[in-house]
Amino acid sequence: GAGVSQSPRYKVAKRGQDVALRCDPISGHVSLFWYQQALGQGPEFLTYFQNEAQLDKSGLPSDRFFAERPEGSVSTLKIQRTQQEDSAVYLCASSLEVSRAYEQYFGPGTRLTVT
Amino acid sequence: GDSVTQMEGPVTLSEEAFLTINCTYTATGYPSLFWYVQYPGEGLQLLLKATKADDKGSNKGFEATYRKETTSFHLEKGSVQVSDSAVYFCARTATGGGNKLTFGTGTQLKVEL
């Protein structure tokens, strides 16, 4: 079936604006992850959902970052009052089984540029 | 804390050359280890994995062996192709059984004719 999809693929925001990034995981996948990838770096963990429950948000860099997955499928990552240091590619990944949640399927990412 | 260290790129090879990309990890817990690949313009794809010491992961001609004694998981391929040009990321699971992954900084591979 279809893979993980993310929208928009590119987003330019002025400093101080709020943005919302969407992730559609593979149908039936229980686990969902968000990662942040700065230019030239590896992805860094932000947060993890198991169905609709947010079980780990230890990687969210500040209280300006908020993620939700209200019905256990689509997820939204919201960044309030964007700053230049928020410029990065935001990756979403999903996994079918909780017991093998380390086998993650990644979406193409949303490239956020804050000007 | 958990970390993964990979050799810096870019690595430039001629087609049919032997490839090694080094990866070491911090010796905390009993992680599962992975190699992900990112082709130009595409998302990260799982290339191979190993879940315990001495396991060998393999896929598409690539191999990596989980070496606990050297805390390493080096990626190898006997004969690279131009189509292997991509960025390769080594990753580990978090200590304590968490599902999040810790990635290295990535190694860009360029294969030329």
Side-chain angles (χ1 to χ4, degrees):
Chain A
V4 177
S5 61
Q6 294 186 245
S7 61
R9 292 291 311 276
Y10 303 91
K11 176 70 178 178
V12 178
K14 291 187 177 178
R15 189 162 60 97
Q17 284 185 331
D18 297 348
V19 298
L21 313 179
R22 177 186 169 106
C23 172
D24 284 85
I26 296 172
S27 178
H29 277 202
V30 170
S31 299
L32 186 145
F33 302 80
W34 284 98
Y35 292 86
Q36 180 189 58
Q37 186 175 16
L39 187 63
Q41 301 296 314
E44 292 193 358
F45 171 80
L46 294 177
T47 188
Y48 162 60
F49 290 85
Q50 182 178 316
N51 294 307
E52 68 278 4
Q54 188 174 19
L55 299 186
D56 187 345
K57 52 182 181 180
S58 62
L60 296 176
S62 77
D63 59 7
R64 296 186 295 105
F65 287 71
F66 172 76
E68 61 183 4
R69 194 186 185 198
E71 297 179 356
S73 55
V74 172
S75 177
T76 303
L77 176 67
K78 297 179 179 178
I79 309 173
Q80 297 177 325
R81 303 181 304 281
T82 52
Q83 304 295 315
Q84 284 195 318
E85 62 263 28
D86 299 336
S87 295
V89 176
Y90 290 85
L91 299 171
C92 177
S94 69
S95 180
L96 177 60
E97 301 174 16
V98 173
S99 61
R100 293 172 61 175
Y102 49 77
E103 291 192 16
Q104 298 174 19
Y105 295 83
F106 282 79
T110 295
R111 182 178 297 277
L112 173 65
T113 302
V114 181
T115 60
Chain B
D2 299 335
S3 69
V4 173
T5 303
Q6 324 183 202
M7 63 189 288
E8 289 192 15
V11 173
T12 303
L13 296 174
S14 298
E15 201 170 43
E16 300 184 0
F18 185 86
L19 168 71
T20 300
I21 299 179
N22 291 336
C23 171
T24 57
Y25 62 93
T26 46
T28 50
Y30 302 93
S32 294
L33 302 173
F34 309 87
W35 278 99
Y36 278 81
V37 59
Q38 188 169 33
Y39 297 103
E42 298 184 15
L44 282 165
Q45 301 175 24
L46 178 61
L47 180 60
L48 54 83
K49 70 179 189 292
T51 58
K52 61 183 187 296
D54 300 325
D55 271 2
K56 177 185 285 188
S58 60
N59 186 26
K60 299 181 180 180
F62 291 89
E63 293 184 341
T65 301
Y66 190 143
R67 302 283 189 200
K68 187 178 178 184
E69 63 276 13
T70 54
T71 62
S72 65
F73 192 56
H74 304 324
L75 182 68
E76 296 182 337
K77 186 175 185 183
S79 176
V80 293
Q81 305 300 311
V82 172
S83 58
D84 294 327
S85 298
V87 181
Y88 293 81
F89 293 90
C90 186
R92 59 163 287 166
T93 49
T95 300
N99 292 317
K100 61 188 176 186
L101 298 177
T102 298
F103 287 85
T105 55
T107 302
Q108 184 175 14
L109 170 66
K110 298 180 181 178
V111 181
E112 301 173 335
L113 290 171

